Amino acid sequence: MRKMIPVLFGLGGFLLVAGLVALLWAPGVAKKTPIDVTSITHLSGQAAKLNAATGELESNPVKAISTTKTDSKVSDDNVVAFTNSSCLVIDKDDVSDCVDGNDERLISASTDVFATDRETALAVNTGKYLPADAVDHEGLINKWPFDAEKKTYPYWDGTAGKAVDAEYVRTVKVEGLETYLYKVEITGAPIQIAEGVDGTYDDVKEIYVEPKTGSIVKQVDDQQRALASGDQVLDLQLAFTDAQVKTSVNEAKDNIATLSLLTGTIPLVGIVGGLICLIGGVILLLRGSRDDGDSAPGVSRRKPAHV
């Protein structure tokens, strides 16, 4: 039993220190946007687009792909840099995810470069993270912060070119996962329909966010664009595909499990297990000391004789 005492003290000390380190260190590391991520999002819907030849809106099914990659070379402990490319095409004749500018099925294609704070997820426009010609961004862009709150956040709208309010509406379950629903509403925002052609932009966007990780698991968009005359040139309804929603939900659940392990299970097991081992070692040490005292040399343990 005496041989167990140093083992218990050593193991207990190790577990306790590991648990305390995990408790203090893990949240600051785990609750940061990773700097080595590539995410691909698939969307589908319906779009009525102006046919310049006929002057009429023509409705077609559409699909879109958005690819976001981190730039780990310029990212650091505080800020992560991203490159996003997106493409929206008319979904006919087995069209690929994106086509060149000469293909009549192309509705829009764009590339965006931005950086965000790894903790708050808010846009960062200073420092080494962006090229000199990068467009300044505001607010949240591609995710919410960890432990998102039931409040209004500034949210970047690339078409309007500014941050708009994303207002918390209610809590909704998506594929069994609890999410916060935020709503964005834009009315009559001035934009350029094409180079040198002014117009307006209306949009209603619903964004479903898993609050623990801040990840967007579902999005529904309903937007209209019109010329300054009021003539409509685009009526677009676009949303995450069903398969994309399931993928996003499963990824969010995996990230929640990892986060819970790092910030909850490991610290709890370390601290509780360490204390148990240390208490066990103390008990054995006290018991051993008592036994040594009872059996000390020169001390008789014979029972007194009865006369």
Side-chain angles (χ1 to χ4, degrees), residues 22-23 26 30 254-269:
L23 181 66
D254 289 341
N255 291 333
I256 291 171
T258 301
L259 195 61
S260 298
L261 177 67
L262 293 174
T263 62
T265 304
I266 291 177
L268 180 63
V269 170

Side-chain angles (χ1 to χ4, degrees), residues 12 16 24 62 69 79 96 117 120 127 140 159 163 166-167 177 179 196 205 227 237 254 263 268 280-281 284:
L16 185 60
L24 299 173
V62 294
K69 296 182 179 181
V79 177
S96 59
D117 186 285
T120 67
L140 305 175
T159 304
E167 181 182 356
L177 179 70
T179 68
K205 190 181 274 92
L227 297 172
Q237 290 77 44
D254 289 341
T263 62
L268 180 63
L284 289 180

Side-chain angles (χ1 to χ4, degrees), residues 121 239 290:
R290 185 188 63 190

Side-chain angles (χ1 to χ4, degrees), residues 114-117 120-125 136-145 153-157 162-166:
F114 59 94
T116 64
D117 186 285
T120 67
L122 293 171
V124 173
N125 296 304
D136 283 353
H137 291 62
E138 303 171 328
L140 305 175
I141 303 174
N142 60 331
K143 74 179 295 293
W144 259 241
Y153 286 92
Y155 176 76
W156 174 254
D157 186 285
K162 63 179 182 179
V164 295
D165 286 345

Side-chain angles (χ1 to χ4, degrees), residues 20-253:
L20 289 172
V21 169
L23 181 66
L24 299 173
W25 168 83
V29 175
K31 292 184 178 181
K32 279 188 174 182
T33 304
I35 62 172
D36 55 352
V37 174
T38 298
S39 64
I40 299 175
T41 304
H42 295 275
L43 307 94
S44 63
Q46 198 77 15
K49 183 173 181 265
L50 181 67
N51 186 321
T54 64
E56 300 290 333
L57 288 176
E58 294 182 355
S59 184
N60 287 288
V62 294
K63 67 177 184 178
I65 185 170
S66 176
T67 303
T68 304
K69 296 182 179 181
T70 55
D71 186 347
S72 58
K73 293 181 180 179
V74 297
S75 301
D76 56 29
D77 287 343
N78 300 313
V79 177
V80 55
F82 294 94
T83 298
N84 171 266
S85 59
S86 60
C87 194
L88 174 64
V89 297
I90 295 173
D91 190 8
K92 69 177 183 180
D93 299 330
D94 196 28
V95 66
S96 59
D97 286 334
C98 198
V99 294
D100 63 40
N102 296 321
D103 194 310
E104 63 180 10
R105 294 169 297 180
L106 179 68
I107 295 178
S108 65
S110 62
T111 301
D112 192 19
V113 180
F114 59 94
T116 64
D117 186 285
R118 293 183 63 191
E119 293 185 5
T120 67
L122 293 171
V124 173
N125 296 304
T126 59
K128 63 178 182 179
Y129 313 104
L130 299 169
D133 59 349
V135 174
D136 283 353
H137 291 62
E138 303 171 328
L140 305 175
I141 303 174
N142 60 331
K143 74 179 295 293
W144 259 241
F146 289 88
D147 301 320
E149 300 179 45
K150 298 177 180 179
K151 69 175 189 180
T152 298
Y153 286 92
Y155 176 76
W156 174 254
D157 186 285
T159 304
K162 63 179 182 179
V164 295
D165 286 345
E167 181 182 356
Y168 169 80
V169 178
R170 62 182 180 275
T171 300
V172 182
K173 284 198 173 182
V174 177
E175 298 286 334
L177 179 70
E178 184 175 284
T179 68
Y180 290 173
L181 169 59
Y182 297 88
K183 191 172 185 178
V184 172
E185 293 189 74
I186 301 171
T187 303
I191 63 168
Q192 281 205 328
I193 301 297
E195 187 174 353
V197 180
D198 293 332
T200 59
Y201 165 64
D202 297 343
D203 189 33
V204 176
K205 190 181 274 92
E206 294 181 339
I207 307 167
Y208 297 77
V209 176
E210 192 292 303
K212 291 185 178 65
T213 62
S215 60
I216 299 172
V217 300
K218 180 180 177 180
Q219 184 168 297
V220 179
D221 194 17
D222 181 5
Q223 65 169 270
Q224 291 77 39
R225 304 185 192 187
L227 297 172
S229 63
D231 294 332
Q232 196 170 35
V233 296
L234 181 67
D235 183 6
L236 173 66
Q237 290 77 44
L238 194 65
F240 282 19
T241 64
D242 291 342
Q244 181 63 60
V245 171
K246 290 180 180 179
T247 298
S248 299
V249 167
N250 289 335
E251 289 177 351
K253 288 179 177 178

